[in-house]
Amino acid sequence: QVQLVESGGGLVQAGGSLRLSCAASGSIFGIRSRGWYRQTPGKQRELVAVISSVGAINYVDSVKGRFTISKDNAKNTVTLQMNSLKPEDTAVYYCNFLAWTGENYWGQGTQVTVSS
């Protein structure tokens, strides 16, 4: 069984930083991409950042220049470094692994709250 465990969420003032981490346990045949999504009440889950198996990276426009996604293949992890945080970044953040089989794996979600 595959499980993704997230950590690093919390409360921070505007302009501050947080680092989210996600570790996968269990066997995944092959990982196509790893990403971070976020969701607030009344809104659909939004892709924040994604990194492919070969290291290609994309960010949603609102976080470009502030967030950095990275991965460690040997440790089966993905991280999201969040700097210059804004109140509009407040959300529940979910990590995601997409396998080459088409299966999606999700973390449990971690709350990020940015105060003004």
Side-chain angles (χ1 to χ4, degrees):
Q1 295 182 352
V2 175
Q3 287 186 306
L4 305 184
V5 180
E6 302 178 21
S7 62
L11 174 64
V12 66
Q13 292 184 340
S17 298
L18 287 173
R19 184 176 179 87
L20 306 183
S21 297
C22 177
S25 64
S27 180
I28 302 176
F29 179 77
I31 300 170
R32 182 173 185 171
S33 66
R34 314 175 197 210
W36 289 93
Y37 292 71
R38 64 188 180 188
Q39 188 169 27
T40 56
K43 297 182 66 177
Q44 291 187 327
R45 193 168 296 184
E46 173 190 42
L47 177 64
V48 178
V50 63
I51 182 168
S52 77
S53 61
V54 296
I57 294 171
N58 283 291
Y59 299 98
V60 67
D61 286 345
S62 61
V63 309
K64 288 180 179 177
R66 300 188 297 120
F67 291 10
T68 303
I69 188 171
S70 61
K71 64 181 177 68
D72 186 325
N73 291 344
K75 296 181 179 180
N76 296 316
T77 60
V78 61
T79 64
L80 186 68
Q81 178 66 46
M82 304 185 294
N83 298 325
S84 301
L85 282 161
K86 303 175 180 180
E88 51 262 46
D89 295 318
T90 295
V92 177
Y93 284 71
Y94 299 87
C95 66
N96 167 265
F97 281 38
L98 173 61
W100 284 104
T101 60
E103 294 180 285
N104 276 294
Y105 302 93
W106 294 94
Q108 79 280 5
T110 185
Q111 178 70 46
V112 172
T113 302
V114 184
S115 62
S116 60

